[in-house]
Amino acid sequence: MNSSQIEASTTRKAKLAIDGGTPAFAQPLHVGRPNVGDPTRFATYMHQVFENRWLTNNGPLVQELEARIAADLDVKHCVAMCNGTIALEIAIRALGLSGEVIVPSWTFIATAHALAWQGISPVFADVDPDTHNLTAATVEPLITPRTSGIIGVHLWGRPAPIEELQSVADRHGLALMFDAAHAFRTSYRGRRIGSFGQCEVLSFHATKVFNTMEGGAVVTNDDQLAAKMRLMRNFGFAGFDNVVHPGTNGKMIEASAAMGLTNLESLDEFVAANKRCYEQYALRFDGIPGLDLVLYDPAEENNYHYIVASVSDASATSRDRLVEVLSAENVLARKYFWPGCHRMLPYRDEMDVILPNTDTIAARNLVLPSGPTLSPDDIDTICDILELGARKSL
Ligand SMILES: *Cc1c(COP(=O)(O)O)cnc(C)c1O
């Protein structure tokens, strides 16, 4: 095919914005645009908050949200926090982790920071090229006498190989917890994420599938661990004037819980919209050379929140150039989590690590807009641009 035939083979006829054309979208399309439930429900909850004059400190809406989430995930305890990062820090401290903890490099930087922030060395493991998750084979060789634990990440909401990691942890007497920031309402072998390892950490940040604006939680079946974390998130107070544990301020505010209760009511709709987007992308990607979609396992429950593409050498246009081309069209695709934590400034000089799979994934990864506000036409337009770039060097 010559280039004009290639152009004709896609549905996009308009001049690209990088060539001086009008952007395909008048407003920017963001990855992780916040999901917002019914504003009148939120107003009703907030009215309650003002009536109660109870704004924070384990208020009734926080307690209600915790109970609902625990029931939803079939786990004994949900300890709500002000954000996912503090939830990670508190979980790490409550588990008594120290020395070295093995984490994937291919994750959001907070997973590593939550350790380094409290003087623990994150030891970066490679991930499986297909699952983007840790495996026993990438973790086990990194265990040293200083290793105290493993933090698995359910990246993109796709579960880490939990049983495999649990047996590594058990064999070496290590703690195992999960960063489940992406994995609200997803499952592993038919059971909802939330009760695996010693605890799992959720993020309810504005960009996540379920948000409380800012927020997070640790979920666990361990009574003692939950009690300890409740103390830690509230300065160690066991009652008035009675501090029994070192602690910090990790409390969720009532307004966040109001947002959470509101959004829980619409969560099924958010997920259905994500699934519609995902299926449309999957269908279109089937016909695009050099572009592969990171697939969700249809046998599991998924939240379909992340549309993750991999741009291989078979694409005529490189990943980085595609990001520029899309950006000119007002499609703000992201290279999450390029370049990997092990290549970020705070960590890159300390470690002498080679993570070939992480480097390959980081060079290819492209996260695309999704969610309830994206129409089928929007997705078609995004795919037209991608297809043009994949077939022809832009
Ligand atoms: C969002 C996120 C966090 C941090 O959560 P915040 O609520 O933003 O503090 C941690 N880990 C991963 C993998 C995340 O995506």
Side-chain angles (χ1 to χ4, degrees), residues 276 280 374-381:
R276 161 182 60 77
Q280 192 183 346
L374 231 68
S375 74
D377 279 351
D378 293 341
I379 294 172
D380 257 334
T381 303

Side-chain angles (χ1 to χ4, degrees), residues 15 26 30 33 61 87 98 138-139 146 157 179 225 250 255-256 271 290 311 318-319 380 390:
K15 197 169 172 186
H30 294 271
R33 189 168 191 215
L61 295 195
S98 63
T138 66
V139 168
R146 297 191 68 222
D179 178 339
L225 189 67
S256 284
V271 171
V311 185
S318 72
R319 189 277 309 268
D380 257 334

Side-chain angles (χ1 to χ4, degrees), residues 220-261:
T220 181
N221 281 325
D222 183 328
D223 299 343
Q224 276 187 329
L225 189 67
K228 202 169 179 182
M229 292 188 297
R230 287 188 183 283
L231 287 172
M232 286 178 153
R233 79 167 172 187
N234 188 31
F235 312 100
F237 275 108
F240 285 137
D241 310 324
N242 185 23
V243 173
V244 298
H245 204 283
T248 184
N249 184 353
K251 288 171 275 130
M252 177 181 275
I253 62 172
E254 286 292 272
S256 284
M259 185 65 169
L261 291 166

Side-chain angles (χ1 to χ4, degrees), residues 154-225:
H154 307 303
L155 207 78
W156 318 127
R158 304 191 314 166
I162 292 170
E163 278 177 26
E164 190 179 314
L165 294 176
Q166 189 66 62
S167 69
V168 172
D170 293 346
R171 262 204 306 284
H172 297 270
L174 303 175
L176 175 67
M177 59 176 271
F178 292 98
D179 178 339
H182 296 180
F184 193 65
R185 283 274 183 101
T186 71
S187 72
Y188 172 78
R189 300 190 179 164
R191 182 174 175 82
R192 275 194 175 153
I193 291 295
S195 54
F196 295 105
Q198 270 153 300
C199 62
E200 303 207 64
V201 177
L202 303 165
S203 166
F204 308 141
H205 183 252
T207 56
K208 306 299 205 266
V209 67
F210 165 75
N211 82 81
T212 60
M213 301 192 188
E214 288 273 5
V218 188
V219 279
T220 181
N221 281 325
D222 183 328
D223 299 343
Q224 276 187 329
L225 189 67

Side-chain angles (χ1 to χ4, degrees), residues 83-85 88 107-108 110-111 153 179 181-182 203 205 208 215:
N83 62 58
T85 303
L88 276 169
T107 177
F108 182 57
T111 320
V153 180
D179 178 339
H182 296 180
S203 166
H205 183 252
K208 306 299 205 266

